[in-house]
Amino acid sequence: MTSATPAASETSPTDDPQASRSPSAPLSGRPVRTAVIGTGGIARGCHLPALARLAEEGETEVVAAVDIDAAAVREFCATGGIPHAYTDLELMLREQQPDLVTICTPPTLHREQTIAALRSGAWVWCEKPPVPTLADFDAVEAAEGQAGGPYASIVFQHRFGSGARHVRRLLAEQAMGRPLVAHCQTTWYRDAAYYAVPWRGRWHTEGGGPAMGHGIHQMDLLLDLLGPWSEVRAMAGRLVHDVETEDVSTALVRFENGTMATVVNSVLSPDEVSRIRVDCERATVELTHLYGHANADWRITPAPDVPEADAMAWQDFGADVPSSHLAQLRELVASMRAGERPRSSGPDGRKSLELITALYKSAFTDTTVRRGEIGPGDPYYTALHGGAPGWAPVVSESAPSQEVPA
C-alpha cells in the first residue's frame, strides 16, 4: 500500500483543527464527490469497486486520487476513469473540495490525513486500524464538525450486511435468551515476506501486531453484537517473527451484560479462519469465514427444548447482503445525505481501539484492565507498547526520540 502526505511546506493540520473547516455543500440531488487517498491494494480491490458500484446508482462520483508515487496515482486514475491525479493531499483538497475522502494509506498517516480532510469540510472513511493510539483517535474526534458533520468513520465492514444485522437484533432482543459465553478468533498466517514491508511489525508505523492490524475486525464485530465490555486479562507473545510487535495474543474479556469471552489473534496459523461464536441460553450462534461473510456463513443451533417455530424464525436472515465495503459505504453515504453521525465513528468507532489498547496493557503489565481507565497520562494512551520492557522499540543513543527496528 502506497502512501500520500501533504507537501512539507503546508501547515500541519494538527495545529488548529477547527481553523479552516468550511461546511460541505448540500448533498441532495447530486452525487457525493469522493477522493481516494493511497492507491495500493485495498484501494484497488475494495474502495474503488464499491465507489464504482454506487456511481452506477448515481450516489458517488470519484473526482480525484492522491499518492506520493506519481506513476502509481496516474495509473490508478487511468484504470479507474478518475479525472484528477495528485501527489499533494492539501492541494487536492483545495482544488477539488471533495465531500468524502477515503483513506487507504498506512496507519501512521491516518491522523494527519484525516484531520486535513475534516478541516477542508470533507467527511472521512478511513481504513483500519483507524489511528495508532487512543490519543490520536481523540484528536481526530476533536477535529470533527458539530451537529451535521463532517465526521470520520472507520472501515469496519464486517459489521455490515444482512447476517450481522439479523444476529445483532436477535441478541439485542434476547430472542435466544441471554448471551453467556463467546469466542472470537482471528487465526491467520503471515510469512517473513509479509513482514519485509518496512512499515509492518513496527509500533510507530503499524500501531500494533495481529491484535491491532488483523483481529480488530472480529473484535469490532463481537463488540457490535454483545455491547460494552467491562474488563480484560490478556497475554501476548513474539513466537516466530522478528518484529517489534507481538505475533500472537490471547485474552479473556468480560462484558457488561455478564458474557465471558475468549479472544485469540494470530498470524502463525496455517489453517486460516475468522470465527465468532456466542452461546446463549436457548441457542448457539456461530459465524465461520475468512475475510468476509454472507448469510450461509452463519449457523444457529437451538437447544433441544426450543420450539420448532422459534428455531425456524431465527434462521430467517432475509435477503442475502454479504459483509463488504460496499455495504458499509452505502450506509455511510445515506448518513452523509441525512447529516447524521455514521456508525463506526466517534464513540462507536473508538470502542474497538480501546479494547485493543487495554489488551496490550494487560498483556505487558500482567494486570486486569477495566474499560475507561486508559486516558491522558497513561503511557498506553499514547503508545500501544506503553514503554514496556521487552516490547518498547529500541531507541538509538544518538537520536533518543527516534524509533528504530528491533
Side-chain angles (χ1 to χ4, degrees):
M1 183 184 302
T2 48
S3 60
T5 57
S9 60
E10 297 294 338
T11 301
S12 169
T14 60
D15 290 345
D16 184 359
Q18 304 288 337
S20 58
R21 180 188 296 117
S22 58
S24 299
L27 294 174
S28 59
R30 67 174 180 85
V32 172
R33 290 170 51 82
T34 306
V36 179
I37 316 303
T39 61
I42 197 70
R44 295 170 184 269
C46 297
H47 285 247
L48 195 56
L51 288 165
R53 176 66 179 274
L54 289 189
E56 294 173 358
E57 301 172 11
E59 289 292 328
T60 60
E61 174 189 9
V62 183
V63 298
V66 185
D67 200 293
I68 58 171
D69 186 328
V73 72
R74 285 196 299 267
E75 191 274 334
F76 181 83
C77 288
T79 300
I82 302 169
H84 302 289
Y86 289 84
T87 57
D88 185 319
L89 174 60
E90 295 279 4
L91 180 62
M92 184 280 293
L93 292 171
R94 289 196 302 270
E95 292 187 350
Q96 299 302 321
Q97 299 182 357
D99 306 305
L100 172 65
V101 166
T102 75
I103 296 180
C104 308
T105 55
T108 190
L109 302 172
H110 289 176
R111 170 177 171 166
E112 183 178 11
Q113 293 172 342
T114 297
I115 292 176
L118 290 169
R119 289 178 66 234
S120 77
W123 293 49
V124 174
W125 193 36
C126 182
E127 270 296 331
K128 60 79 188 168
V131 283
T133 69
L134 288 172
D136 292 324
F137 192 97
D138 292 345
V140 166
E141 191 173 358
E144 292 182 323
Q146 302 302 314
Y151 299 117
S153 181
I154 308 159
V155 178
F156 281 141
Q157 76 274 17
H158 289 195
R159 289 193 197 184
F160 296 81
S162 53
R165 180 174 61 246
H166 177 64
V167 172
R168 186 186 311 112
R169 180 182 62 80
L170 292 177
L171 291 170
E173 296 174 356
Q174 294 196 2
M176 299 178 293
R178 292 181 299 128
L180 304 172
V181 182
H183 178 68
C184 179
Q185 175 182 352
T186 305
T187 45
W188 294 356
Y189 185 79
R190 298 294 184 266
D191 59 14
Y194 176 84
Y195 285 104
V197 177
W199 59 268
R200 287 181 176 148
R202 299 184 62 196
W203 295 108
H204 177 64
T205 49
E206 193 170 20
M212 180 67 155
H214 302 86
I216 189 172
H217 275 305
Q218 297 313 299
M219 286 187 284
D220 179 75
L221 178 55
L222 185 73
L223 291 172
D224 199 48
L225 295 175
L226 292 179
W229 61 280
S230 59
E231 61 181 2
V232 60
R233 185 67 187 246
M235 294 187 296
R238 190 187 292 128
L239 303 185
V240 173
H241 295 292
D242 183 16
V243 291
E244 289 181 346
T245 64
E246 88 288 1
D247 55 16
V248 63
S249 67
T250 63
L252 302 176
V253 182
R254 191 189 306 273
F255 284 78
E256 284 189 356
N257 63 14
T259 305
M260 298 177 66
T262 62
V263 178
V264 180
N265 301 300
S266 166
V267 288
L268 309 178
S269 309
D271 183 12
E272 295 187 296
V273 68
S274 304
R275 179 179 291 122
I276 285 179
R277 172 180 169 133
V278 181
D279 296 317
C280 301
E281 292 175 302
R282 304 179 67 207
T284 292
V285 57
E286 187 170 14
L287 168 65
T288 303
H289 68 115
L290 188 53
Y291 298 137
H293 53 84
N295 287 352
D297 297 309
W298 294 83
R299 182 166 61 94
I300 298 178
T301 304
D305 60 345
V306 169
E308 184 177 355
D310 288 353
M312 290 182 64
W314 299 340
Q315 302 290 348
D316 184 7
F317 282 74
D320 193 2
V321 179
S323 69
S324 65
H325 283 68
L326 175 62
Q328 182 175 0
L329 180 61
R330 195 183 298 279
E331 188 172 311
L332 172 58
V333 169
S335 297
M336 292 179 66
R337 293 195 185 281
E340 298 173 348
R341 176 177 286 282
R343 292 175 62 203
S344 74
S345 71
D348 183 49
R350 190 182 191 272
K351 60 188 182 183
S352 300
L353 182 59
E354 183 182 12
L355 174 58
I356 292 166
T357 304
L359 184 155
Y360 282 118
K361 180 177 180 179
S362 174
F364 299 160
T365 62
D366 193 26
T367 59
T368 297
V369 178
R370 291 168 176 80
R371 185 167 65 92
E373 77 172 47
I374 301 176
D378 189 307
Y380 289 87
Y381 181 70
T382 52
L384 292 190
H385 56 73
W391 290 101
V394 176
V395 178
S396 66
E397 295 182 1
S398 59
S401 64
Q402 297 296 313
E403 295 181 352
V404 296

